[in-house]
């Protein structure tokens, strides 16, 4: 059994980022840094029950190696938080530095994994574009106890923005920027989904987790963004195992420009919010029932004596 709650967003939609190339290196991990900063503000590091075993990983492009961008900048990062310690793998162009996937076993409240993907480019004499770039999570939660049930809450934070412009508008259909963020169980069940598209010709798209089947975007091109926090709650009975991650990418970005420019920044972070042992309503033992009955009889007898005295 699971439930999904929408928590208050960590902030309003993204502010517009600088578009000059000199600032883009500094913006590689901006969104994931914002998520980690907001995350650390309300999480206390404490070991959860050892009967609950949570394993996970984050990786770039599980379908193959990231492709080189064409006349564009492409960066990213993987983050793991294990026992309160943070490790990072980086992507620049198609070169990955560090473990990919970045994996481990979580042990404390606040532990988790994050993925950040970024791309930008400006067209002109030559077009600018990136091939589709993916990020993927795998996750599992297992209850090793033979007698106790637990509720495990995962916090899923996400934020992404896309922008495509063509100045002056040439209507050559070459400018677009797209980002998709999701999270899925291994059986394909969708737990979170957000899609945003900036397209000066076909029009913009924005599908958010609370309304995933309705496009709420307006206009054509320019800045489109979405940011939010979801609480995913799972009940694990003794011996239960829940797995996450299917054939759908958990992060996906894609974009290009012929004469204008495009930019994309997408991040998500999954952390352990709480692990709670469930307490059952116990049935009183026969001895307890006899004591309750004797006590009740005593109270009634006392009341009758009081009435007779009066």
């Amino acid at each position: 059994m699971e439930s999904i709650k929408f928590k208050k967003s960590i902030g309003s939609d993204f502010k517009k980022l600088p578009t000059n190339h000199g600032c883009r290196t500094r913006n590689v991990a901006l969104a994931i840094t914002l998520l980690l900063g907001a995350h650390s503000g309300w999480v206390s590091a404490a070991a959860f029950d050892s009967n609950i075993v949570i394993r996970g990983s984050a990786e770039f492009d599980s379908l193959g190696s990231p492709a080189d961008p064409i006349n564009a900048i492409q960066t990213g990062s993987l983050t793991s938080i294990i026992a309160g310690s943070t490790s990072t793998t980086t992507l620049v162009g198609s070169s990955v530095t560090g473990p990919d996937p970045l994996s481990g076993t979580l042990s404390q409240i606040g532990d988790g994994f994050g993925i950040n993907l970024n791309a930008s480019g400006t067209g002109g004499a030559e077009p600018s574009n990136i091939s589709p770039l993916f990020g993927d999570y795998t996750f599992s939660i297992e209850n090793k106890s033979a007698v106790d049930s637990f509720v495990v809450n995962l916090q899923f934070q996400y934020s992404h923005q896309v922008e495509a412009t063509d100045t002056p508008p040439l209507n050559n259909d070459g400018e677009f920027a797209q980002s998709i963020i999701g999270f899925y169980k291994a059986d394909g069940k969708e737990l979170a989904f957000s899609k945003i598209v900036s397209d000066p010709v076909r029009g913009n798209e924005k599908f958010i987790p609370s309304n995933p089947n309705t496009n709420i975007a307006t206009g054509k091109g320019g800045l489109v963004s979405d940011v939010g926090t979801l609480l995913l709650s799972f009940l694990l009975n003794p011996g239960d195992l829940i797995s996450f991650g299917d054939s759908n990418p958990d992060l996906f970005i894609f974009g290009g420009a012929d004469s204008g420019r495009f930019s994309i920044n997408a991040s998500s972070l999954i952390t352990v919010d709480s692990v709670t042992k469930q307490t059952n309503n116990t049935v009183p033992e026969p001895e307890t029932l006899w004591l309750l009955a004797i006590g009740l009889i005593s109270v009634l007898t006392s009341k009758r004596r009081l009435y007779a005295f009066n």
Side-chain angles (χ1 to χ4, degrees):
M1 183 183 75
E2 65 261 358
S3 65
I4 301 174
K5 297 179 181 179
F6 296 93
K7 300 179 72 175
K8 184 177 180 181
S9 297
I10 60 172
S12 59
D13 283 357
F14 269 132
K15 294 181 180 180
K16 188 173 181 179
L17 297 179
T19 55
N20 58 298
H21 288 190
C23 293
R24 283 178 181 141
T25 301
R26 296 195 299 272
N27 287 327
V28 169
L30 173 60
I32 200 70
T33 301
L34 291 173
L35 290 181
L36 286 169
H39 156 83
S40 63
W42 64 69
V43 171
S44 57
F48 50 77
D49 195 297
S50 60
N51 283 303
I52 294 298
V53 179
I54 304 178
R55 300 181 178 92
S57 69
E59 65 180 309
F60 296 120
D61 200 352
S62 63
L63 300 179
S65 300
D68 277 315
I70 299 174
N71 192 29
I73 294 175
Q74 174 179 281
T75 58
S77 63
L78 308 174
T79 301
S80 69
I81 310 166
I82 297 178
S85 178
T86 301
S87 300
T88 303
T89 294
T90 59
L91 168 71
V92 178
S94 61
S95 299
V96 176
T97 302
D100 182 21
L102 191 59
S103 59
T105 300
L106 311 183
S107 61
Q108 294 184 356
I109 302 300
D111 283 0
F113 295 92
I115 303 174
N116 171 241
L117 301 176
N118 308 272
S120 59
T122 301
E126 298 291 336
S128 172
N129 64 77
I130 63 164
S131 298
L133 180 62
F134 304 91
D136 292 281
Y137 292 112
T138 58
F139 234 82
S140 68
I141 308 174
E142 184 176 6
N143 182 3
K144 292 282 192 178
S145 174
V147 294
D148 294 320
S149 296
F150 293 83
V151 170
V152 177
N153 289 326
L154 301 180
Q155 184 165 262
F156 183 80
Q157 299 175 342
Y158 72 95
S159 55
H160 53 163
Q161 69 168 10
V162 296
E163 184 175 17
T165 58
D166 193 1
T167 307
L170 298 179
N171 294 325
N172 57 5
D173 201 19
E175 283 66 37
F176 70 99
Q178 177 179 343
S179 173
I180 299 175
I181 295 179
F183 189 51
Y184 305 86
K185 292 183 69 176
D187 61 8
K189 181 177 180 180
E190 180 182 284
L191 300 175
F193 180 82
S194 175
K195 176 184 178 181
I196 52 176
V197 178
S198 176
D199 192 318
V201 177
R202 295 184 178 89
N204 298 336
E205 297 181 25
K206 182 174 180 177
F207 298 87
I208 61 177
S210 59
N211 195 8
N213 298 315
T214 302
N215 181 12
I216 62 173
T218 59
K220 294 184 177 183
L223 186 67
V224 184
S225 62
D226 185 29
V227 56
T229 302
L230 287 74
L231 189 66
L232 310 174
S233 184
F234 305 93
L235 172 63
L236 288 93
N237 292 315
D240 279 356
L241 171 67
I242 302 177
S243 298
F244 306 86
D246 66 352
S247 59
N248 294 294
D250 296 298
L251 264 78
F252 167 91
I253 65 172
F254 187 29
D258 282 342
S259 57
R261 60 182 177 83
F262 77 97
S263 64
I264 309 167
N265 186 295
S267 297
S268 65
L269 179 67
I270 305 171
T271 54
V272 181
D273 183 82
S274 63
V275 175
T276 307
K277 182 190 295 185
Q278 298 299 281
T279 56
N280 298 321
N281 293 324
T282 57
V283 177
E285 296 293 332
E287 293 82 358
T288 304
L289 292 174
W290 277 113
L291 290 173
L292 289 172
I294 292 171
L296 181 59
I297 292 171
S298 298
V299 171
L300 292 175
T301 302
S302 299
K303 286 185 176 180
R304 286 173 182 165
R305 288 174 178 170
L306 181 61
Y307 291 149
F309 179 80
N310 291 335

